[in-house]
Amino acid sequence: DTAVSQTPKYLVTQMGNDKSIKCEQNLGHDTMYWYKQDSKKFLKIMFSYNNKELIINETVPNRFSPKSPDKAHLNLHINSLELGDSAVYFCASSQDGTVSSYEQYFGPGTRLTVT
Amino acid sequence: RKEVEQDPGPFNVPEGATVAFNCTYSNSASQSFFWYRQDCRKEPKLLMSVYSSGNEDGRFTAQLNRASQYISLLIRDSKLSDSATYLCVVIRASNTGKLIFGQGTTLQVKP
């Protein structure tokens, strides 16, 4: 049973399109995250939700909009895709959003290529 | 300057070698420290926590030096399966749940 799953695994699309990535966790965790890993391998947090409430919102273009319909799901919608959005997007979850929740469980990643 | 810095490597070592990685962090308010491991084209996974007193898990030893603001990871008797990227991770006291990742150090263990 996959703990944190993401779909799709690969996404190739053209500039200007709108796309969504879905994430689900079956660990019963309260907190979920979106990370972006760029071509230089830096992994940076984008958003975090705790029990459907947004708690971390980094400096991310407002073309990126997360949505959490329930605490087991966190989706990421991207409008007007740009070349610089090409990266691997990881979803993760943790028990809660406190400083003790350092063990985050990551999904397999979605490799987004914008052409 | 990045808040968490690592030498990206790659470190190429023969099987059985001992290898050490360092990581420096710039924010003295950083509270908690970890090493994550990321295999090629896979997701990161927690390897171990890092304490001032040192933390050992089998062939892996992690150490924290708060005065010099660096973290180390020592791998003894390297195995082929240790080949991966090792990510240094920091949590600032003021940011709950927000992991700050270094770029990672790539290790290649050769037969």
Side-chain angles (χ1 to χ4, degrees):
Chain A
D1 245 359
T2 306
V4 182
S5 58
Q6 292 179 230
T7 52
K9 192 165 184 183
Y10 298 95
L11 186 52
V12 181
T13 188
Q14 290 185 325
M15 280 173 56
N17 284 348
D18 302 339
K19 290 292 178 186
S20 292
I21 308 171
K22 296 188 176 185
C23 178
E24 176 180 0
Q25 55 95 2
N26 63 6
L27 297 166
H29 288 168
D30 287 342
T31 306
M32 296 183 73
Y33 310 81
W34 277 112
Y35 286 87
K36 178 180 179 181
Q37 188 168 41
D38 60 26
S39 56
K40 293 188 177 174
K41 306 297 183 190
F42 277 104
L43 198 60
K44 288 183 187 171
I45 191 165
M46 300 172 70
F47 303 102
S48 170
Y49 272 75
N50 181 270
N51 261 321
K52 301 194 297 176
E53 184 182 340
L54 181 67
I55 56 171
I56 295 175
N57 185 353
E58 289 296 285
T59 308
V60 174
N62 57 16
R63 298 181 295 104
F64 291 79
S65 50
K67 279 193 174 55
S68 181
D70 56 61
K71 74 174 193 177
H73 295 86
L74 180 62
N75 304 323
L76 183 66
H77 187 75
I78 317 170
N79 288 327
S80 304
L81 278 153
E82 300 178 357
L83 292 176
D85 297 333
S86 295
V88 182
Y89 292 84
F90 286 102
C91 175
S93 73
S94 66
Q95 189 70 44
D96 55 40
T98 70
V99 69
S100 62
S101 256
Y102 55 84
E103 183 162 17
Q104 296 185 10
Y105 294 81
F106 285 76
T110 295
R111 191 170 296 271
L112 171 65
T113 304
V114 182
T115 61
Chain B
R1 186 188 170 194
K2 297 288 181 185
E3 185 165 346
V4 179
E5 297 214 59
Q6 297 180 251
D7 179 349
F11 283 56
N12 294 301
V13 304
E15 264 187 296
T18 295
V19 61
F21 310 134
N22 284 336
C23 160
T24 58
Y25 61 94
S26 60
N27 192 325
S28 57
S30 298
Q31 181 180 53
S32 305
F33 309 89
F34 313 94
W35 285 100
Y36 270 66
R37 171 187 168 138
Q38 185 173 22
D39 289 354
C40 188
R41 300 178 80 86
K42 298 282 190 182
E43 70 273 21
K45 293 183 181 177
L46 178 66
L47 179 66
M48 59 198 304
S49 303
V50 188
Y51 308 118
S52 297
S53 55
N55 186 19
E56 189 171 316
D57 183 2
R59 297 180 292 107
F60 296 78
T61 301
Q63 196 82 41
L64 165 65
N65 184 319
R66 284 191 185 271
S68 302
Q69 294 184 199
Y70 80 80
I71 303 143
S72 63
L73 178 67
L74 180 78
I75 306 175
R76 288 181 298 278
D77 188 23
S78 300
K79 312 288 184 196
L80 295 177
S81 57
D82 294 335
S83 298
T85 295
Y86 292 84
L87 303 164
C88 177
V89 182
V90 164
I91 295 182
R92 288 189 229 138
S94 59
N95 283 278
T96 59
K98 180 179 169 184
L99 303 184
I100 300 167
F101 285 82
Q103 184 182 6
T105 297
T106 298
L107 172 66
Q108 295 274 8
V109 181
K110 308 283 188 185

